[in-house]
Amino acid sequence: MAYPYASARQVPTDCVAVRHHAGGMPRRPRLQLPGVPLHVTQRGVNRGAIFIDHLDRLHYHELLCEAAQEHAIAVHAYVFMSNHTHLLLTSTQPDGLARAMRNSGQRYVQAFNRRHGRTGTLWQGRFKSCLVNSDRHLLQVYRYIELNPVRAGMCARADDYRWSSVHANLERRSDKLVTPHPSFLSLHHEAALRAERYRAWLNESVSSDDLQRIRAHLNQERALGDPTFQAMVEKMLGKPASLRPRGRPKKGDGGN
């Protein structure tokens, strides 16, 4: 059966945020380092649906596969929820992620609008990204992403949800979008035992502290890791990598 998006090739101009806000103020630069994993999320505008049915998700999956291959990106984990997506990936090119997300996102919006009879933007601004320390925090983000449907009450177990990398990471089915990270492969050199260990890791769930930490670093687009990792990122990029305190800074006596 012909896929309904097969002819979607033209790129629209109104579905991905540009580098500057409407008022002309530049956006805060992303923290990105080639070879360092990134946790990426993108939401629908006004938290609206970005997928209506399995054909939408299938098409988005195909577009991500093409973009990952074209821009030398390895996707380690993903989940497609109804109104947002999560990806854990590694890019070897400084601007590879931005180009991949722009190209796949634009093509998807055009096809989605045509198929569902709508117009206008679909994404809630630009995607958010967060560097992840592969030594300790990477597997936490794997688990955070693949347990998203469980936390949302959509299923009892991660592998009950179809549109996730969990099936590839548990060796239940192949997925051309998924490339295991070396830290994941280090769980065990044998695939079956690695899947068994990863299932046990998933079953431990995500602690409330880990949930808060992962979400905070992603929302602020900072570097998720220990102070040594954050200091390395700040030195290499010349930008803050640790979390900012909540709320507005307090003014000192006569200071500003």
Side-chain angles (χ1 to χ4, degrees), residues 136-137 140 143-144 205-217 224 243 246:
R136 178 174 177 267
H137 296 82
Q140 294 177 355
R143 182 168 62 182
Y144 172 88
S205 190
V206 185
S207 71
S208 58
D209 286 345
D210 286 343
L211 277 175
Q212 182 179 359
R213 186 180 305 111
I214 291 170
R215 287 169 175 166
H217 284 81
L224 177 62
L243 290 177
R246 287 186 174 183

Side-chain angles (χ1 to χ4, degrees), residues 44-201:
V45 64
N46 296 324
R47 296 184 177 268
I50 57 175
F51 304 114
I52 303 300
D53 55 26
H54 74 281
L55 289 177
D56 289 337
R57 289 178 171 90
L58 180 62
H59 183 51
Y60 189 69
H61 183 278
E62 290 292 328
L63 290 174
L64 284 181
C65 287
E66 293 177 15
Q69 182 175 7
E70 180 179 355
H71 299 287
I73 291 171
V75 177
H76 314 303
Y78 71 86
V79 67
F80 302 159
M81 305 295 285
S82 60
N83 65 357
H84 69 284
T85 65
H86 284 279
L87 305 171
L88 177 62
L89 54 85
T90 302
S91 176
T92 60
Q93 303 172 358
D95 59 346
L97 175 61
R99 287 186 290 147
M101 294 296 287
R102 179 175 62 249
N103 294 346
S104 59
Q106 289 175 341
R107 289 173 61 189
Y108 178 72
V109 171
Q110 184 191 39
F112 182 92
N113 284 355
R114 182 171 59 247
R115 181 167 186 249
H116 298 293
R118 69 182 298 277
T119 59
T121 188
L122 183 64
W123 306 116
Q124 182 72 57
R126 70 174 190 170
F127 65 89
K128 289 191 173 185
S129 62
C130 165
L131 285 170
V132 181
N133 186 347
S134 60
D135 291 338
R136 178 174 177 267
H137 296 82
L138 190 78
L139 289 178
Q140 294 177 355
V141 178
Y142 260 89
R143 182 168 62 182
Y144 172 88
I145 289 174
E146 293 182 350
L147 286 177
N148 206 312
V150 178
R151 290 193 301 275
M154 301 173 69
C155 54
R157 302 186 314 176
D159 52 340
D160 290 335
Y161 189 72
R162 176 179 178 183
W163 296 102
S164 163
S165 55
V166 69
H167 306 284
N169 290 327
L170 291 178
E171 295 292 327
R172 295 188 58 179
R173 68 169 181 248
S174 62
D175 188 331
K176 63 182 180 180
L177 181 59
V178 177
T179 301
H181 189 274
S183 294
F184 178 83
L185 294 175
S186 69
L187 289 173
H188 203 280
H189 65 278
E190 293 185 15
L193 294 178
R194 182 167 60 244
E196 183 178 325
R197 290 187 177 181
Y198 185 60
R199 182 181 290 280
W201 172 251

